[in-house]
Amino acid sequence: MPLNLRYFADPLCSWCYGFGPELAKLVAARTDLRISLVMGGLRPYNRERMSAAFRDMLRQHWSHVSTASGLPFSQAILDREDFIYDTEPACRAVVTARQLFPAQAMPMLKSIQAAFYRDGRDATDPAVLADIAAENGYDRDTFLAAMESESMRLATRADFTATQSLGVSGFPTVAASRGEELYLVTSGYVTHDVLEYRLVEIERLTLQ
């Protein structure tokens, strides 16, 4: 029985953005793996504008991620004094993608990350998220209607609840399962070789 991975993430989590290529390398090398995406909710339902101190903290944080991952970061969002850092809409967009066409959930996550971090697009805006969905092959109006529905809001909250119930509080977090047991692979950014080593250890443990 192959291992299944459960990936707890938030599209607007900078370390998840940095971690994406490492996870992709693992998946490319381990085609037997199946990955389930669970939205964690980094800063959901926030309604306050970013303070100058918070923007400065994020600049430093994003610089660390860029150094570790080699990925580009736009400063456009941090240059906006009116920006409200609410990650729930982006999470809801991934949940909607997962509901409408599960195979596109991971590409949608990556597209939102690139739009927000690399391109400086406002991925808290439902209209922008619908544009990104259209770029991923969804019908824009159908996607937007689904994303704004009460059922998708509840499904997104259910992801947050599931994450919290397992004690997951940091992102990215990856857990592996074989049957009912969950095994922590990583809580935080690691490289693909570390992921592979830990998976081998879990496989050895679960096959004993």
Side-chain angles (χ1 to χ4, degrees), residues 2-6 23 26-27 29-30 32-35 174-178 183-186 192-207:
L3 284 175
N4 294 320
L5 295 188
R6 203 174 302 180
L23 182 61
L26 175 75
V27 172
R30 297 282 299 260
D32 58 316
L33 292 174
R34 294 174 56 192
I35 300 183
V174 178
S177 65
R178 179 175 274 133
Y183 301 86
L184 181 65
V185 180
T186 185
H192 70 282
D193 53 327
V194 175
L195 289 172
E196 174 64 28
Y197 173 79
R198 292 179 181 173
L199 280 180
V200 169
E201 290 298 303
I202 291 169
E203 285 173 330
R204 183 177 296 120
L205 176 67
T206 57
L207 288 174

Side-chain angles (χ1 to χ4, degrees), residues 12 20 24 31 33 43 53-54 73-74 88 115 120 151 178 204 206:
L12 304 192
T31 56
L33 292 174
R43 293 177 60 82
F54 187 72
F73 278 76
S74 167
E88 189 273 345
S151 62
R178 179 175 274 133
R204 183 177 296 120
T206 57

Side-chain angles (χ1 to χ4, degrees), residues 44-62:
Y45 313 114
N46 178 50
R47 295 294 178 264
E48 296 182 3
R49 293 180 180 181
M50 289 193 296
S51 66
F54 187 72
R55 284 199 303 273
D56 289 343
M57 182 274 290
L58 284 181
R59 286 185 204 278
Q60 187 175 36
H61 196 63
W62 292 6

Side-chain angles (χ1 to χ4, degrees), residues 2-202:
L3 284 175
N4 294 320
L5 295 188
R6 203 174 302 180
Y7 180 28
F8 301 88
D10 190 300
L12 304 192
C13 159
S14 57
W15 279 114
C16 294
Y17 170 53
F19 178 66
E22 301 301 323
L23 182 61
K25 290 174 189 175
L26 175 75
V27 172
R30 297 282 299 260
T31 56
D32 58 316
L33 292 174
R34 294 174 56 192
I35 300 183
S36 300
L37 265 179
V38 185
M39 293 297 94
L42 178 67
R43 293 177 60 82
Y45 313 114
N46 178 50
R47 295 294 178 264
E48 296 182 3
R49 293 180 180 181
M50 289 193 296
S51 66
F54 187 72
R55 284 199 303 273
D56 289 343
M57 182 274 290
L58 284 181
R59 286 185 204 278
Q60 187 175 36
H61 196 63
W62 292 6
S63 177
H64 291 329
V65 179
S66 182
T67 299
S69 66
L71 293 178
F73 278 76
S74 167
Q75 300 295 308
I77 291 296
L78 299 183
D79 290 339
R80 284 180 46 185
E81 295 186 1
D82 65 334
F83 184 70
I84 297 174
Y85 200 170
D86 174 15
T87 69
E88 189 273 345
C91 288
R92 185 162 22 103
V94 175
V95 170
T96 302
R98 190 181 68 198
Q99 178 71 21
L100 295 178
F101 185 25
Q104 278 297 102
M106 185 67 80
M108 184 65 178
L109 170 70
K110 293 178 179 178
S111 293
I112 294 171
Q113 290 171 327
F116 184 71
Y117 285 110
R118 184 192 66 198
D119 303 333
R121 296 164 70 184
D122 186 355
T124 69
D125 183 344
V128 173
L129 291 165
D131 289 341
I132 296 169
E135 293 159 14
N136 278 269
Y138 293 93
D139 178 81
R140 186 186 187 282
D141 292 342
T142 300
F143 187 92
L144 182 59
M147 185 177 66
E148 294 288 70
S149 69
E150 184 63 18
S151 62
M152 287 301 103
R153 294 178 190 276
L154 292 173
T156 304
R157 191 179 288 275
D159 268 33
F160 297 162
T161 300
T163 299
Q164 293 162 4
S165 70
L166 291 170
V168 175
S169 58
F171 311 105
T173 289
V174 178
S177 65
R178 179 175 274 133
E180 296 300 315
E181 291 293 322
L182 267 181
Y183 301 86
L184 181 65
V185 180
T186 185
S187 179
Y189 175 92
V190 292
T191 54
H192 70 282
D193 53 327
V194 175
L195 289 172
E196 174 64 28
Y197 173 79
R198 292 179 181 173
L199 280 180
V200 169
E201 290 298 303
I202 291 169

